[in-house]
Amino acid sequence: MSEFKNERLPVLTLSQGVVLPHMNATLPVESAEGKAALAAARSGDMRVLLVPKLGGRYANVGTVAKIEETGQTPDGTPAVVVAGRVRALFSEVTPDMGGALYADVDARPDPTAFDDATRELASEYRAVIENILELRGAPQIVQFIRAIDNPGQLADMAGYSPDYSVERKVELLETLDVKERLTKLVAWARDVLAEMSLKEQLRSEVSERMEKQQREFLLRQQMEAIKKQLGETGDVGTEYRNKFEAVAEAMPEAVRKEVERELDRLERTSEQNPEYGWIRNYLDTMFELPWGQRSDDNFDLVKAREILDQDHYGLEDVKDRILEFLAVRKRRGERGAAPVSGRGSGAIITLVGPPGVGKTSLGESIARALGRKFARVSLGGIHDEAEIRGHRRTYVGAMPGRIVRALKEAGTMNPVVMLDEIDKVGADWRGDPSSALLEVLDPAQNHSFRDHYLEVELDLSDVLFIPTGNVADTIPGPLLDRMEVVRLDGYTEEEKLHIARRHLLPRQLDRSGLDAGEVTVTDAAIERVISEFTREAGVRNLERELGKLLRKVVTAVDSGKLSPPVTVDTEQVREYLGKPRFFFEVAERTSVPGVATGLAVTGTGGDVLFIEATEMPGDKGLTLTGQLGDVMKESAQIALSYVRSHAGELGVSANFDERRVHVHVPAGAIPKDGPSAGVAMTTALASLFTQRPVRPTVAMTGEVTLQGKVLPIGGVKQKVLAAKRAGIQEVILPRRNEADLDDLPAAVRQEMKVHLVSDIGEALAIALEAPAEPRVIAV
């Protein structure tokens, strides 16, 4: 091999494989440098230096090879057949003028004589290789290996083996000493043989049990057998077992058994099985629930009162009821009794009132006063029972219900859960969510609530549920039966002023990027916003208008029109907010006979309702317009019948058979119904036929019988507050509603004059102007 010393040979770079001495290989030649090297070899003695290049660097040793044949691969790529001859060290690889890479080589051939230790290693290596080949079923290669007597050549035959990586083959190429090379190969071959023997053993064990199964199932069984041999259950199984052990003690016994059953299923199920993902999702949900996590209740009533007063102005009755609830809870806890929200504890406190009166924020204050976590569940518009009870796991995309998700969100098993808009729960072919809510809210049932997704009993007895709604009428009867309704009917203008000053204005200043010293809004300005730009039971629109006012100020300051500090008074309110949206129009509307001012309750609180009546020649009868419901239509019929039957007493002389009466309630696009318009409709008709206008300072509510008796109604506080907002000074109410006057704020009782009547005649005497001469209608 001395002819290879200190020669300069073209270099063919190998990027994907290794060619050792004594190996024949077919190499594709695609690069320009490779083609140039091939051309240079052809012009010489057909020798090239094969150098592996991995990770951007050349190996330390290359192989001098002889080009035996050139041609193309089946896809047309130029290729060359080479025969490896000898290892060689080489100098730096440099290109020549023709583009080929060259290097000075120094051949390092293997010795021709070997000691006994080297030949023993060669024999050991040959024996291991023969075992590997026999396991692979390649006896012809065994004969070829047995025919190789040279230890160096035997070691270099490892270049053909698929068991070794390219990095290991490069390592063999760089190992010049034959003995060291064989030592490495013996260790590597033993590892390969051990792995193949284990695979063969496992394959035999599995094949005996699963002869008729498909190949995919066979592979799964092999994987399980490997896990068994290693004494492991797999990374995922171990992870979930660790999670289970961390929370197992806090879980109820039934829940623990269910989770263990699902863990066993997970470990037996392949990752390719669709159920694998479902089981993992279920276990994730179970582990995310706050088993055993509870907040310590704080029953300091003085502190609770401070928090409620700090967060809310007014609402004294509501605050008193909440403090009573906390006091009873504290006393029962001291006696070791069941918690008040637990089994057999009674009704659920339900906050009912128009939007913007602070129902949700009251729930947050209760949670803060108790020291509990707070979670909110919106029920408005849901129609699917599964939203409450969860979906069964057999459905695609199944998930637990909103109650379970609220517990996960809160992170404790005894949070305060606000059930918003419970009056807007619907029902259709997917089920009745209100029926599912019975199990949630009923204290006799919720200690064993069962979510369809979890399929275990969940104790909700210590969760403090606080439902909210705008009106109680649309809450299903069975649900309402389990509730204690606490009404938030709205605020007076004085209360709105205090709320705006203490809560709304500071919040809007912060949202507008203003400091308290930069803008001052006077009380008169706030009162003008309240009276002329909002007419609501709550304060939601008031906050919006204040925010708009402050944004106008910010814009004026930033544009240089104003400089801080800025004072906003009544004049600036008109300038920034525009024309007033609301007026005191009662006097104008009731200035003609036939118009009465009624009071009603809507989903947004109390409101003033004008009822107009007129008459005309024509066929007898009654025309009703204004989107009236059946109850109001009947009230109009009763009112007309009363006026006709008491025409003499009222001073009316009319031939009703030739007169047509038309009753209209304005805002015709809005549906209207309810059992409290009878007094107003009777007054409007009496005013029409007697030509006595209704006094502009009076509004009325109540239902009338055919005999003229005035029946009691609901929503007294909301209606009286609406009358006050509209500038009305007197209100006519049924006498049997006298007890409801205690709900009115003291300031309202002082400012408003309330007339209690038990007969429609009393109401007409108060509502109508002084009588005129008897009126005769020409026939």
Side-chain angles (χ1 to χ4, degrees):
M1 298 297 179
S2 60
E3 67 271 23
F4 296 148
K5 277 187 174 291
N6 300 321
E7 289 193 71
R8 188 169 179 81
L9 295 177
V11 176
L12 188 59
T13 302
L14 305 180
S15 59
Q16 296 181 349
V18 179
V19 177
L20 296 173
H22 311 291
M23 284 181 60
N24 293 333
T26 300
L27 306 175
V29 182
E30 297 178 319
S31 65
E33 294 175 349
K35 293 176 181 178
L38 183 59
R42 286 174 176 171
S43 64
D45 58 2
M46 303 295 285
R47 289 180 300 153
V48 291
L49 179 65
L50 305 177
V51 181
K53 187 175 183 181
L54 300 177
R57 74 172 189 86
Y58 291 105
N60 297 323
V61 177
T63 302
V64 176
K66 182 72 175 291
I67 297 176
E68 301 290 343
E69 186 180 351
T70 59
Q72 292 182 340
T73 61
D75 62 357
T77 303
V80 59
V81 178
V82 297
R85 295 294 181 85
V86 66
R87 286 174 175 80
L89 300 177
F90 58 92
S91 62
E92 182 179 359
V93 176
T94 56
D96 70 346
M97 297 298 293
L101 298 176
Y102 276 85
D104 294 329
V105 302
D106 182 7
R108 295 300 175 92
D110 292 339
T112 56
F114 301 95
D115 58 16
D116 293 341
T118 302
R119 290 195 174 276
E120 288 179 2
L121 281 172
S123 298
E124 183 179 358
Y125 176 63
R126 182 182 289 107
V128 177
I129 289 298
E130 288 178 0
N131 287 333
I132 292 175
L133 293 173
E134 287 175 358
L135 286 174
R136 287 200 171 130
Q140 68 279 8
I141 302 179
V142 173
Q143 297 300 323
F144 175 74
I145 293 295
R146 288 176 180 174
I148 298 175
D149 183 59
N150 187 306
Q153 182 180 358
L154 178 64
D156 287 340
M157 289 300 101
Y160 290 114
S161 175
D163 297 318
Y164 307 133
S165 64
V166 174
E167 289 77 10
R168 283 194 168 183
K169 291 179 181 178
V170 171
E171 186 177 346
L172 285 179
L173 178 64
E174 293 177 339
T175 305
L176 301 179
D177 184 71
V178 176
K179 184 176 181 180
E180 182 181 353
R181 199 183 310 158
L182 285 169
T183 302
K184 292 180 179 180
L185 283 170
V186 167
W188 295 349
R190 286 188 179 278
D191 291 341
V192 173
L193 179 60
E195 182 180 354
M196 291 183 64
S197 299
L198 178 60
K199 287 182 178 179
E200 182 62 26
Q201 178 186 355
L202 297 175
R203 186 181 296 110
S204 300
E205 292 177 1
V206 174
S207 297
E208 291 176 1
R209 299 193 306 265
M210 307 297 299
E211 292 179 355
K212 296 182 180 180
Q213 297 298 321
Q214 296 179 355
R215 181 176 180 277
E216 180 184 357
F217 189 74
L218 176 62
L219 294 175
R220 293 174 187 168
Q221 292 301 312
Q222 288 178 335
M223 181 178 63
E224 293 298 328
I226 291 172
K227 292 179 181 179
K228 182 178 178 181
Q229 290 288 336
L230 296 176
E232 298 178 356
T233 57
D235 293 339
V236 174
T238 302
E239 175 189 351
Y240 279 87
R241 285 286 178 187
N242 293 336
K243 289 182 178 181
F244 173 65
E245 291 173 2
V247 299
E249 293 185 3
M251 287 180 169
E253 180 65 23
V255 176
R256 189 160 52 247
K257 289 181 179 179
E258 180 67 17
V259 173
E260 287 179 334
R261 189 175 71 85
E262 292 299 324
L263 277 173
D264 293 340
R265 286 186 61 204
L266 178 70
E267 293 169 354
R268 294 194 307 267
T269 305
S270 167
E271 294 184 11
Q272 285 73 33
N273 193 322
E275 291 189 5
Y276 184 82
W278 302 345
I279 299 171
R280 287 193 61 173
N281 290 339
Y282 175 79
L283 291 174
D284 287 337
T285 301
M286 296 298 281
F287 294 145
E288 288 170 2
L289 284 174
W291 303 107
Q293 300 295 321
R294 301 173 59 83
S295 301
D296 294 331
D297 285 337
N298 174 24
F299 292 120
D300 187 344
L301 299 185
V302 176
K303 181 66 175 177
R305 181 72 192 203
E306 290 177 0
I307 291 174
L308 292 174
D309 288 339
Q310 178 182 348
D311 293 348
H312 300 273
Y313 182 85
L315 305 177
E316 298 302 324
D317 294 341
V318 179
K319 294 177 184 177
D320 289 342
R321 180 61 187 91
I322 293 171
L323 290 176
E324 292 167 7
F325 173 82
L326 298 180
V328 172
R329 249 190 108 79
K330 177 182 179 182
R331 179 59 62 92
R332 288 174 63 92
E334 290 173 350
R335 293 172 53 191
V340 170
S341 60
R343 198 178 312 179
S345 63
I348 302 293
I349 292 181
T350 303
L351 305 178
V352 174
V357 295
K359 299 185 294 296
T360 302
S361 57
L362 259 176
E364 294 175 350
S365 299
I366 293 172
R368 194 155 69 94
L370 271 175
R372 291 190 177 195
K373 298 292 186 179
F374 178 80
R376 178 177 174 270
V377 176
S378 179
L379 302 177
I382 68 170
H383 292 77
D384 192 350
E385 179 186 352
E387 291 287 341
I388 306 299
R389 284 206 176 103
H391 303 80
R392 298 193 183 276
R393 278 183 281 162
T394 53
Y395 296 117
V396 176
M399 63 177 63
R402 298 193 182 195
I403 304 300
V404 173
R405 281 179 272 166
L407 294 181
K408 287 171 54 180
E409 176 188 341
T412 64
M413 296 299 286
N414 64 335
V416 174
V417 177
M418 179 74 72
L419 301 176
D420 268 345
E421 310 295 347
I422 199 169
D423 58 325
K424 297 178 180 63
V425 174
D428 59 15
W429 57 270
R430 290 168 290 186
D432 185 0
S434 63
S435 299
L437 284 170
L438 288 176
E439 187 179 358
V440 175
L441 296 180
D442 191 343
Q445 302 180 47
N446 64 9
H447 64 282
S448 58
F449 172 74
R450 182 175 286 269
D451 185 277
H452 287 161
Y453 183 81
L454 301 184
E455 281 299 329
V456 294
E457 290 186 354
L458 201 62
D459 187 0
L460 302 179
S461 62
D462 207 25
V463 179
L464 179 55
F465 291 104
I466 303 180
T468 71
N470 295 135
V471 293
D473 298 342
T474 56
I475 299 177
L479 266 181
L480 191 62
D481 181 59
R482 288 159 173 80
M483 297 176 177
E484 178 182 342
V485 176
V486 177
R487 298 188 181 277
L488 289 76
D489 293 318
Y491 302 106
T492 64
E493 291 190 0
E494 180 183 357
E495 289 173 336
K496 289 183 180 180
L497 175 61
H498 284 284
I499 293 171
R501 182 65 64 193
R502 288 174 53 178
H503 301 289
L504 308 184
L505 200 55
R507 186 159 59 227
Q508 289 302 317
L509 282 169
D510 179 66
R511 291 179 180 177
S512 301
L514 293 168
D515 295 330
E518 292 183 281
V519 179
T520 301
V521 182
T522 65
D523 288 351
I526 297 176
E527 289 173 350
R528 170 159 282 187
V529 174
I530 293 171
S531 62
E532 297 184 359
F533 295 90
T534 66
R535 188 164 289 176
E536 56 179 342
V539 292
R540 188 167 293 164
N541 287 326
L542 174 59
E543 184 170 9
R544 291 194 185 103
E545 296 300 324
L546 291 176
K548 181 179 179 181
L549 195 67
L550 294 177
R551 290 194 300 272
K552 297 287 187 181
V553 173
V554 170
T555 305
V557 170
D558 288 350
S559 60
K561 297 179 181 179
L562 294 174
S563 58
V566 177
T567 299
V568 178
D569 207 344
T570 55
E571 296 179 359
Q572 286 75 30
V573 170
R574 287 286 181 88
E575 178 183 349
Y576 292 148
L577 299 185
K579 297 180 179 179
R581 296 192 186 96
F582 299 98
F583 306 90
F584 296 130
E585 56 179 336
V586 177
E588 178 185 349
R589 298 291 291 273
T590 59
S591 60
V592 297
V595 180
T597 306
L599 298 173
V601 175
T602 67
T604 58
D607 200 2
V608 170
L609 204 64
F610 293 103
I611 296 176
E612 301 176 346
T614 187
E615 59 171 349
M616 63 208 78
D619 297 335
K620 69 174 181 178
L622 178 64
T623 300
L624 300 174
T625 55
Q627 280 270 52
L628 304 184
D630 291 339
V631 176
M632 288 190 70
K633 290 178 180 178
E634 291 175 359
S635 296
Q637 294 282 359
I638 292 171
L640 180 59
S641 297
Y642 177 85
V643 172
R644 291 179 63 182
S645 61
H646 294 78
E649 300 174 21
L650 297 175
V652 176
S653 176
N655 186 352
F656 289 98
D657 291 338
E658 297 182 2
R659 311 296 294 177
R660 187 160 191 86
V661 179
H662 186 168
V663 175
H664 175 64
V665 183
I670 302 174
K672 311 171 191 71
D673 202 8
S676 60
V679 171
M681 286 186 168
T682 305
T683 302
L685 290 172
S687 170
L688 171 68
F689 288 116
T690 62
Q691 287 296 294
R692 295 166 59 186
V694 177
R695 295 171 55 209
T697 59
V698 177
M700 61 208 72
T701 183
E703 193 53 84
V704 178
T705 68
L706 282 173
Q707 288 75 34
K709 299 299 181 182
V710 178
L711 302 179
I713 43 83
V716 170
K717 182 179 178 181
Q718 294 188 52
K719 293 175 179 178
V720 174
L721 291 177
K724 186 177 185 306
R725 289 195 296 270
I728 293 170
Q729 301 169 4
E730 302 176 52
V731 176
I732 298 175
L733 297 176
R735 185 171 298 279
R736 288 167 60 184
N737 283 115
E738 183 176 5
D740 296 324
L741 298 180
D742 294 338
D743 297 335
L744 297 175
V748 175
R749 289 200 299 268
Q750 292 175 1
E751 295 178 19
M752 300 284 290
K753 185 174 182 180
V754 178
H755 301 280
L756 299 172
V757 299
S758 56
D759 185 88
I760 188 62
E762 302 175 37
L764 295 176
I766 297 169
L768 299 179
E769 297 282 5
E773 295 295 328
R775 175 170 172 251
V776 178
I777 301 176
V779 178

